[in-house]
């Protein structure tokens, strides 16, 4: 009835077991991961074809914690799990980020990854087992995927790196770093640290990447035992004549548009170019002088051309989109005490990115009580990030924070935790709210800078001043350019977004 396959490997002081073939057999891939009694069921379902007109990759990752996993019954009147907690949202993002870039270009079939925590050892955080399980489920499913990936948590205790430390060991650790990647490359880093030097942080990434290969090798062995046949999928062939015509119609216009330094003027011009090329292509198709572009060929070609123009200008030594060189930070303006009745406030502006950041102090009765799966605890420091649609000159939904807002808020919070005064030295609870009023890249790092300033404006005796910046990378063959303080366009047209925050002493947060 069941065709069960298992693989086990040692991971730090733990043993991890991967099992497939017994549970959720109708999913495209399903793996149960057991790490010292923390058990996660990871499943993958992929549609066999894409929807007509689909022009993006619809990957959904959901990480869910069930209270029965910890032997608890949910509170409230309904007695069942409700909306995702902040931990669930952040872990969903943690799983998504290293998986998404490994799907092939042009693959637009719907894919859903669901990771469910079904048993919990409070000393073992389920996020690493969930990441390994998602990777294993994709690897055995046969879905086009250039994995598998491994994932590891790295601590730094008594001057030594520790692989996947227990939750009870983390208060002694000066670092909480999660790294994920393939056997040959690092794809994702998420970290907070106690003002550690750059070489220690880099060493942690290298250590974690080396150690995670044990997980990758175990997944490969599981695929040999229980992997499904690989899908026979190929990207839609491109009509060279159509691509050449689109390039001819758009390239000069894109080069001209990216000489406009103002974001809104540039965005308007780009929309005009897209619409104009679409109209011209339709005319040529109607006249019979050009074949109709198949599927998403028109938009994909235009986006590729846009990317080529921006990347080529930067690698060629030309000024960046807004006229800067690769090392220059945009002009910074700081005005504190902007709100007359708030405890602390600052308006932080860096180029076309602006944050109104407000700090509020309270008593210990204002601390956030978090009913986590591993047990209830209190948090005296809260940081909330909001980015309304007007920040980018758009109309949109306002209300419940989206995953991105929760993730950016958590990153800014990580950056500031290390410099907060101890409770015995400063008995207040603290809440920082970052309202992004303008956005053109690095808004989470603007929240770090503004958050530090707002806390100081409120009279909080921080141990050090913290600032943050987003770095970018553009790489073509042997040529590369590292960009300081990237814009939004440089983020989505580049190869890497690397956010770093810290004090003069050392690093407090990393995200890649």
């Amino acid at each position: 009835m069941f065709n069960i396959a298992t693989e086990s490997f040692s991971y730090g002081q733990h043993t991890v077991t991967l099992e497939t073939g017994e549970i959720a057999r109708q999913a495209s891939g399903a793996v149960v991961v057991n790490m010292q009694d923390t058990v996660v069921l990871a499943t993958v379902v992929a549609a066999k074809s894409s929807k007509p007109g689909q022009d993006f990759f619809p990957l959904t990752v959901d990480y869910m914690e069930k209270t029965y996993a910890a032997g608890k019954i949910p509170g409230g009147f309904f007695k069942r799990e409700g909306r995702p907690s902040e931990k669930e949202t952040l872990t969903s993002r943690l799983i998504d980020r290293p998986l998404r870039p490994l799907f092939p270009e042009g693959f637009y079939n719907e894919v859903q990854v669901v990771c469910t925590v079904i048993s919990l050892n409070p000393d073992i955080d389920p996020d690493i087992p969930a990441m390994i399980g998602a990777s294993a489920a994709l690897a055995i499913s046969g879905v086009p995927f250039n994995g598998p990936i491994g994932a590891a948590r790295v601590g730094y205790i008594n001057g030594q790196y520790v692989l996947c430390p227990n939750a009870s060991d983390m208060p002694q650790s000066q670092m909480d770093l999660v790294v994920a990647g393939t056997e040959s490359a690092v794809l994702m880093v998420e970290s907070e640290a106690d003002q550690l030097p750059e070489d220690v942080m880099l060493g942690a990434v290298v250590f974690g990447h080396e150690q995670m290969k044990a997980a990758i090798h175990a997944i490969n062995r599981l695929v040999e035992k229980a992997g499904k046949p690989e899908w026979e999928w190929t990207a839609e062939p491109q009509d060279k004549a159509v691509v050449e015509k689109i390039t001819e119609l758009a390239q000069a216009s894109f080069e001209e548009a990216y000489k406009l330094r103002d974001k809104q003027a540039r965005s308007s011009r780009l929309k005009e170019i897209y619409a104009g090329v679409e109209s011209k292509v339709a005319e040529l198709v109607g006249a019979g002088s050009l074949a109709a572009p198949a599927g998403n060929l028109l938009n994909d070609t235009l986006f590729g051309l846009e990317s080529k123009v921006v990347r080529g200008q930067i690698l060629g030594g030309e000024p960046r989109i807004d006229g800067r060189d690769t090392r220059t930070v945009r002009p910074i303006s700081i005005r504190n005490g902007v709100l007359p009745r708030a405890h602390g406030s600052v308006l932080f502006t860096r180029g076309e990115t602006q944050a109104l950041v407000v700090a509020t102090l309270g008593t210990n009765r204002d601390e956030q009580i978090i009913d986590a799966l591993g047990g209830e605890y209190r948090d005296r420091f809260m940081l909330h990030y909001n980015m309304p649609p007007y920040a980018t000159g758009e109309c949109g939904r306002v209300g419940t924070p989206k995953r991105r807002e929760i993730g950016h808020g958590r990153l800014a919070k990580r950056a500031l935790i290390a410099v907060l005064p101890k409770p015995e030295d400063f008995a207040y609870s603290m809440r920082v709210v970052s309202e992004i009023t303008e956005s053109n890249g690095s808004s989470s790092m603007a929240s770090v800078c503004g958050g530090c300033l707002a806390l100081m404006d409120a009279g909080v005796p921080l141990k050090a001043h913290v600032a943050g910046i987003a770095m970018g990378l553009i790489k073509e063959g042997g040529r590369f350019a590292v960009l300081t303080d990237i814009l939004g366009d440089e983020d989505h047209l580049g190869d890497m977004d690397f956010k770093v925050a810290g004090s003069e002493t050392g690093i407090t947060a990393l995200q890649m």
Side-chain angles (χ1 to χ4, degrees):
M1 187 175 185
F2 301 112
N3 185 16
I4 300 172
T6 62
E7 275 296 332
S8 296
F9 61 97
S10 296
Y11 216 39
Q13 55 188 309
H14 312 296
T15 298
V16 180
T17 302
L18 309 177
E19 181 182 294
T20 187
E22 184 177 29
I23 300 177
R25 291 172 295 161
Q26 294 184 46
S28 303
V31 173
V32 175
V33 183
N34 187 326
M35 186 170 174
Q36 302 295 116
D37 292 343
T38 286
V39 183
V40 178
L41 169 63
T43 63
V44 171
V45 175
K48 288 293 184 181
S49 60
S50 60
K51 294 176 182 177
Q54 184 77 42
D55 61 354
F56 66 94
F57 175 42
L59 170 67
T60 306
V61 177
D62 292 301
Y63 165 89
M64 301 185 295
E65 295 179 340
K66 299 296 184 179
T67 54
Y68 58 72
K72 296 164 64 178
I73 293 174
F77 290 104
F78 297 106
K79 297 296 179 186
R80 68 179 300 161
E81 292 83 3
R83 69 178 187 180
S85 66
E86 183 173 296
K87 160 75 172 172
E88 288 172 305
T89 299
L90 293 170
T91 307
S92 296
R93 284 171 55 87
L94 207 61
I95 299 166
D96 184 304
R97 280 163 42 207
L99 296 181
R100 190 173 290 273
L102 294 178
F103 289 88
E105 195 75 32
F107 184 71
Y108 295 139
N109 298 28
E110 187 171 6
V111 177
Q112 185 175 30
V113 177
V114 179
C115 298
T116 311
V117 181
I118 53 179
S119 178
L120 179 75
N121 173 353
D123 223 17
I124 307 294
D125 195 312
D127 54 3
I128 298 300
M131 294 175 79
I132 293 171
S135 170
L138 276 166
I140 67 170
S141 69
V143 173
F145 176 65
N146 300 317
I149 64 161
R153 170 170 275 105
V154 179
Y156 190 65
I157 302 173
N158 298 324
Q160 299 292 322
Y161 297 122
V162 180
L163 177 64
C164 295
N166 291 334
S168 56
D169 297 328
M170 290 309 292
Q172 287 78 51
S173 178
Q174 291 180 274
M175 171 197 300
D176 181 3
L177 182 142
V178 174
V179 58
T182 62
E183 194 164 8
S184 60
V186 172
L187 294 172
M188 188 275 299
V189 178
E190 185 83 40
S191 173
E192 67 182 75
D194 189 10
Q195 302 185 73
L196 291 174
E198 294 171 23
D199 59 333
V200 173
M201 299 301 293
L202 178 60
V205 174
V206 173
F207 174 81
H209 183 242
E210 190 61 35
Q211 297 299 316
M212 75 171 67
K213 291 178 182 177
I216 294 172
H217 295 159
I219 293 170
N220 287 332
R221 294 194 300 270
L222 188 69
V223 172
E224 289 173 8
K225 290 181 180 179
K228 295 180 180 179
E230 292 187 9
W231 287 18
E232 294 181 3
W233 177 89
T234 54
E236 289 184 359
Q238 292 190 343
D239 186 323
K240 289 187 178 178
V242 174
V243 171
E244 287 172 4
K245 191 63 183 177
I246 294 170
T247 302
E248 179 191 323
L249 291 170
Q251 181 153 353
S253 298
F254 277 139
E255 289 172 355
E256 169 207 328
Y258 275 103
K259 288 184 170 62
L260 297 173
R261 304 310 185 202
D262 180 74
K263 179 190 173 185
Q264 290 300 322
R266 186 171 59 251
S267 297
S268 297
R269 180 66 185 127
L270 289 172
K271 288 175 183 175
E272 289 171 9
I273 293 169
Y274 271 76
V277 172
E278 193 173 331
S279 174
K280 186 64 178 173
V281 167
E283 282 179 26
L284 294 171
V285 170
S289 57
L290 187 70
N296 302 304
L297 182 60
L298 176 59
N299 282 337
D300 287 350
T301 302
L302 286 172
F303 180 80
L305 187 57
E306 194 180 342
S307 177
K308 181 183 174 184
V309 166
V310 173
R311 295 163 68 90
Q313 287 176 348
I314 293 170
L315 290 172
E318 296 179 41
R320 290 160 62 183
I321 297 170
D322 60 354
R324 288 180 291 152
D325 62 24
T326 57
R327 292 174 175 268
T328 303
V329 176
R330 291 172 289 176
I332 294 173
S333 168
I334 297 169
R335 186 161 69 90
N336 63 340
V338 292
L339 302 181
R341 293 299 183 99
H343 293 166
S345 60
V346 69
L347 185 66
F348 180 87
T349 309
R350 179 158 47 192
E352 293 176 304
T353 295
Q354 184 181 76
L356 175 64
V357 190
V358 187
T360 309
L361 306 181
T363 68
N364 59 2
R365 296 181 64 183
D366 294 308
E367 293 176 352
Q368 185 175 13
I369 301 171
I370 299 168
D371 185 16
L373 192 61
E376 186 177 287
Y377 66 94
R378 301 173 75 95
D379 193 350
R380 73 186 184 114
F381 178 54
M382 298 145 273
L383 195 151
H384 299 139
Y385 168 103
N386 301 309
M387 185 170 140
Y390 65 73
T392 52
E394 298 171 337
C395 300
R397 181 180 67 84
V398 175
T400 308
K402 297 180 276 292
R403 281 186 173 188
R404 177 185 173 278
E405 291 175 298
I406 292 170
H408 278 29
R410 179 60 189 171
L411 175 60
K413 179 179 179 179
R414 284 177 183 275
L416 294 169
I417 284 175
V419 299
L420 294 177
K422 294 178 180 178
E424 53 267 31
D425 298 328
F426 191 76
Y428 296 92
S429 56
M430 295 155 279
R431 180 180 184 236
V432 173
V433 179
S434 177
E435 306 283 4
I436 303 302
T437 51
E438 295 180 28
S439 179
N440 189 11
S442 308
S443 60
S444 61
M445 295 297 96
S447 301
V448 172
C449 300
C452 177
L453 291 162
L455 286 168
M456 290 192 293
D457 191 48
V460 179
L462 298 181
K463 298 174 188 174
H465 304 160
V466 172
I469 196 168
M471 306 294 290
L473 174 70
I474 291 177
K475 188 175 185 297
E476 296 280 356
R479 298 193 302 163
F480 71 91
V482 176
L483 308 181
T484 300
D485 185 24
I486 58 174
L487 303 173
D489 285 340
E490 291 170 338
D491 184 355
H492 79 268
L493 297 174
D495 296 311
M496 184 181 74
D497 175 18
F498 183 80
K499 299 183 177 77
V500 58
S503 66
E504 286 187 329
T505 307
I507 292 169
T508 59
L510 285 181
Q511 187 184 82
M512 184 184 83

